[in-house]
Amino acid sequence: MSYSMSDGLEVAKLAAADIVAWLSSKPETISVINVENNPAFQSRDIDLIWTTHKGEVLVEVKGDRWNRTNNFFFETHSNLEKGTPGCFIYTEADWLFYYFVNTRLLYKLPMPKTRDWFGITMNRFRERSTTTPVGNSHYTTVGRLVPITTVMLEVPGVVRQQL
């Protein structure tokens, strides 16, 4: 399967905008800061800093259009050719907000608990890859298709939220 860089960026922008608007409307929210373009947070794979009355929460947003498969795509390599690990492997976020933009369905996955579970169980799940053209070249993203119901049943603290 192949995706263009602009398609991915469009989904990511829409997902981040929807999540920021939703978090901003919550009564416990003091502020939401989008740090997607801040290199200090990019290297830690953190997209949002959500400040509530209880403190600061670091959030990684994963936008996805493919809601009909009933799977999450947990990225293990963001750029196989360069050996770059996938965001799911190295994010320092407290929560991964996995958001299906078409249906506005959000799954809040506690990190690192979800990653620890995935590390133990990932060989159960099918590996898939996509290529993204960049100029005259391309890069390959690799991950696992993980059934949403399996994550909901096996990872404590996962929350499903309709926005």
Side-chain angles (χ1 to χ4, degrees), residues 23-43:
L23 289 175
S24 297
S25 73
K26 296 178 75 55
E28 67 268 28
T29 297
I30 294 171
S31 68
V32 182
I33 302 168
N34 185 321
V35 292
E36 287 175 299
N37 297 322
N38 181 324
F41 289 97
Q42 285 175 335
S43 64

Side-chain angles (χ1 to χ4, degrees), residues 72-119:
F72 293 126
F73 180 77
F74 288 166
E75 188 180 273
T76 55
H77 294 89
S78 64
N79 186 324
L80 189 62
E81 290 76 12
K82 289 186 178 177
T84 309
C87 70
F88 190 79
I89 302 301
Y90 75 90
T91 183
E92 294 178 29
D94 301 311
W95 289 89
L96 173 69
F97 281 13
Y98 201 109
Y99 180 64
F100 291 100
V101 295
N102 297 340
T103 56
R104 297 180 52 86
L105 190 55
L106 169 66
Y107 291 88
K108 300 186 296 187
L109 308 174
M111 296 300 273
K113 190 185 301 183
T114 306
R115 177 179 40 239
D116 293 346
W117 166 85
F118 178 69

Side-chain angles (χ1 to χ4, degrees), residues 60-74:
E60 167 63 11
V61 177
K62 166 76 169 130
D64 197 330
R65 287 173 298 201
W66 298 100
N67 51 300
R68 286 185 222 90
T69 68
N70 295 315
N71 291 309
F72 293 126
F73 180 77
F74 288 166

